[in-house]
Amino acid sequence: MPSVRPHYPYPGRRKALTEAQVAQLLSELQQSAPYEVRLIAWTQYAVAGRITEVLHLRPVDLQATGIYVRRLKGSESGPIDLSAVPELMAALRRHEAARDGTRSVYLFAGRAVCPVKECKGRHVSADSVFRYVQAAGRKLGFPLGLCKTHVLRHSAISHAAAQSCDAP
């Protein structure tokens, strides 16, 4: 029986990156973006979340094998199992340990990315993450419409749907 692929309502107007393109984008961010921005993008792709959902994570949201995500826009909040990505969990735990002394309640405190502004108690700006993702996507030659943080969410969902359709 042939495998069923996710349906894109507008052929030619794809809103997701391929798995290879996501790997290229994360690799480019590894070279060009601050550590915190890379970790945010990686987490966003892993949990298939909106950028604001990832930016609002708190250290208490880290669990033994996953992370608790508070979903927005009516989506169901709950724990996300990240045991398949132990490198990400280890990186999140290292990041949490390194942020000791930060007054922010958020896991990704804004001060590390915007040292010019006094932003204690706030999270990293979604715009700053967007700018790094957009610059990396442009450098890789991706279409402008695919150089957005939200495309990481679409990509993760498309890849999960494709994998579940290929399963026997």
Side-chain angles (χ1 to χ4, degrees), residues 91-128:
L92 287 169
R93 292 201 191 293
R94 281 193 307 272
H95 177 72
E96 178 190 19
R99 65 179 292 285
D100 282 344
T102 304
R103 293 183 193 164
S104 177
V105 296
Y106 299 106
L107 183 60
F108 300 108
R111 225 175 141 167
V113 174
C114 55
V116 177
K117 292 182 180 178
E118 187 62 35
C119 45
K120 292 180 184 173
R122 300 192 59 188
H123 56 74
V124 172
S125 159
D127 287 339
S128 63

Side-chain angles (χ1 to χ4, degrees), residues 5-139:
R5 294 287 175 195
H7 171 70
Y8 295 107
Y10 304 105
R13 290 184 56 201
R14 194 167 45 94
K15 294 291 184 184
L17 299 169
T18 64
E19 290 184 53
Q21 288 174 321
V22 170
Q24 285 179 323
L25 182 66
L26 292 175
S27 177
E28 179 58 36
L29 286 172
Q30 182 97 15
Q31 299 170 15
S32 61
Y35 176 75
E36 200 163 40
V37 170
R38 297 190 311 255
L39 192 54
I40 290 167
W42 190 14
T43 304
Q44 183 185 6
Y45 177 70
V47 301
R50 292 176 177 85
I51 189 66
T52 51
E53 293 170 349
V54 174
L55 293 176
H56 286 98
L57 290 174
R58 298 165 189 264
V60 296
D61 295 334
L62 289 179
Q63 299 171 348
T65 60
I67 195 163
Y68 186 88
V69 177
R70 290 171 191 81
R71 299 288 186 184
L72 302 173
K73 294 189 173 183
S75 298
E76 193 172 318
S77 299
I80 305 290
D81 182 24
L82 294 177
S83 58
V85 195
E87 306 88 17
L88 176 58
M89 281 305 297
L92 287 169
R93 292 201 191 293
R94 281 193 307 272
H95 177 72
E96 178 190 19
R99 65 179 292 285
D100 282 344
T102 304
R103 293 183 193 164
S104 177
V105 296
Y106 299 106
L107 183 60
F108 300 108
R111 225 175 141 167
V113 174
C114 55
V116 177
K117 292 182 180 178
E118 187 62 35
C119 45
K120 292 180 184 173
R122 300 192 59 188
H123 56 74
V124 172
S125 159
D127 287 339
S128 63
V129 179
F130 176 83
R131 284 188 196 104
Y132 280 107
V133 169
Q134 187 176 48
R138 284 183 174 176
K139 187 173 180 182

